[in-house]
Amino acid sequence: MTLRHLLRLAAPLLLATSLHAQAQAQAAQPGTLRIGFQKSASLLTFQKSSGSLEKKLSALGVSVKWVEFPAGPQLLEGLNVGAVDVGFVGEAPPIFAQAAGAKFVYIGFDPAAPEAEAIVVPRDSDIKTVAGLKGKKVALNKGSNVHYLLVKALEKQGLKFSDVQAVYLPPADARAAFERGAVDAWVIWDPFLAAVEKQSGARLLQDGRGIVNNYAYYLAERGYAEKQSQVIQALFEDTQAQAAALKANVKAAAAVIAPLQGLEPEVVEKSLTRYQFGVKPLTAAVVAEQQKIADTFHALGLIPKPIRVADALPGSVKLAEAGK
């Protein structure tokens, strides 16, 4: 099974020809850092809008190009075909990508944010508990962080993933299906979660607290990570500075981010309060948690072979953190 085929199973993909054309147009520019991001990634959207990274990297003779993707699986394919050098995604996409042989390494992670993803139902739904989802249609983005949340939430109630009818849709299509009653529940992350709560009155059935960590990861193309450590260090220094600025004045940050995400400031502010933000070095405990997700997906038949997450770590991290 090819990488492109596997990630197509994970989520709707950008056209492969578009990615390759983009990679060729931007390829091998040692003086350019190409960052893959999702507009829903609020800190990176905030960082991009500030222009702070461009100023910081100019001292190293490096420019910045931001490349937007609709979701993590597409971003991982972009990273694999050389369209970007660094990317930021949730827990699940790297697992699907590694199982398909993608060439990337984990270079950092964001703190746990279990409240920033949840299972929601319509306000007037007669479903009151996760157990009530049995036999129901549940929308989710396949291969995303919420895929694991749904698996573990069902497991806690003694149910299997196969006990629900999974309907795989990207966020925009899932919300449309949710609001017209084509699905019974939706598993989604912020800021889409905060938006559907405020704008549609969706009722939160279960968030990630006590079930999942909902970490997010910074990834890099392996060769880039090995050769451009100074650029990555500068990126992380700026990311930390922007995270501190965001947390110091959430309301002001929300006002900046909201129009870029096409959301109301109040919605963005609510979503920001459910994240901690600020990249950290990988630890053995975090790697172990990521391995649990990989093992779960393999047991469910969602990836074709078992993987070893430590194999996707830079050499120094593998020795220091994975005990190898």
Side-chain angles (χ1 to χ4, degrees):
M1 182 176 289
T2 65
L3 171 63
R4 187 164 295 108
H5 179 61
L6 181 60
L7 292 181
R8 280 199 180 110
L9 294 178
L13 294 179
L14 300 175
L15 291 175
T17 52
S18 174
L19 279 176
H20 283 292
Q22 183 181 50
Q24 291 172 354
Q26 302 170 1
Q29 299 180 50
T32 301
L33 170 62
R34 299 167 300 164
I35 304 173
F37 80 110
Q38 303 165 60
K39 196 175 290 184
S40 61
S42 296
L43 176 57
L44 267 68
T45 298
F46 184 66
Q47 185 176 17
K48 178 178 182 291
S49 71
S50 74
S52 61
L53 181 60
E54 285 79 355
K55 293 177 183 177
K56 188 173 185 67
L57 288 183
S58 66
L60 299 176
V62 176
S63 61
V64 179
K65 183 173 183 63
W66 297 85
V67 184
E68 185 179 336
F69 292 87
Q74 295 95 320
L75 193 158
L76 260 295
E77 184 174 354
L79 189 65
N80 192 62
V81 301
V84 294
D85 306 304
V86 172
F88 179 76
V89 297
E91 297 166 320
I95 291 168
F96 283 88
Q98 188 180 350
K103 301 178 181 68
F104 71 89
V105 290
Y106 294 84
I107 55 175
F109 78 101
D110 256 11
E115 296 178 72
E117 59 177 358
I119 304 168
V120 294
V121 294
R123 178 170 41 195
D124 58 356
S125 172
D126 59 1
I127 300 172
K128 306 300 181 185
T129 66
V130 173
L133 294 175
K134 185 174 183 179
K136 303 296 186 181
K137 293 181 179 179
V138 183
L140 68 149
N141 194 79
K142 187 175 184 180
S144 66
N145 57 341
V146 296
H147 201 147
Y148 186 62
L149 169 61
L150 180 58
V151 168
K152 300 307 288 185
L154 291 168
E155 183 181 280
K156 191 173 181 179
Q157 298 299 318
L159 298 175
K160 299 177 181 178
F161 186 68
S162 57
D163 286 326
V164 301
Q165 299 180 55
V167 180
Y168 297 122
L169 295 169
D173 293 338
R175 175 158 175 174
F178 180 79
E179 292 184 336
R180 69 172 183 268
V183 296
D184 302 292
W186 183 22
V187 200
I188 189 57
W189 61 88
D190 272 320
F192 305 112
L193 171 60
V196 77
E197 285 182 291
K198 184 178 188 298
Q199 298 165 356
S200 297
R203 176 163 49 84
L204 193 149
L205 196 65
Q206 174 71 64
D207 62 21
R209 286 176 292 183
I211 302 177
V212 298
N213 290 302
N214 190 28
Y215 292 123
Y217 293 96
Y218 290 84
L219 311 173
E221 190 276 324
R222 184 178 289 275
Y224 191 90
E226 293 172 352
K227 298 174 184 176
Q228 302 292 340
S229 59
Q230 188 177 12
V231 174
I232 291 174
Q233 179 62 32
L235 165 64
F236 285 170
E237 288 173 359
D238 185 70
T239 300
Q240 288 289 67
Q242 293 304 308
L246 186 157
K247 288 187 282 189
N249 195 334
V250 173
K251 185 177 288 291
V256 171
I257 297 167
L260 301 175
Q261 293 181 333
L263 297 170
E264 301 165 26
E266 295 80 5
V267 168
V268 175
E269 185 175 352
K270 182 176 182 179
S271 75
L272 294 179
T273 64
R274 297 195 279 219
Y275 287 102
Q276 296 302 311
F277 298 115
V279 60
K280 294 184 177 183
L282 288 160
T283 67
V286 170
V287 172
E289 287 300 314
Q290 188 71 343
Q291 186 64 54
K292 287 180 183 178
I293 300 175
D295 293 344
T296 297
F297 283 174
H298 178 249
L300 290 170
L302 295 174
I303 57 175
K305 62 181 181 180
I307 64 166
R308 184 174 175 270
V309 172
D311 289 339
L313 301 180
S316 60
V317 174
K318 188 183 300 183
L319 291 171
E321 304 294 354
K324 299 295 179 184

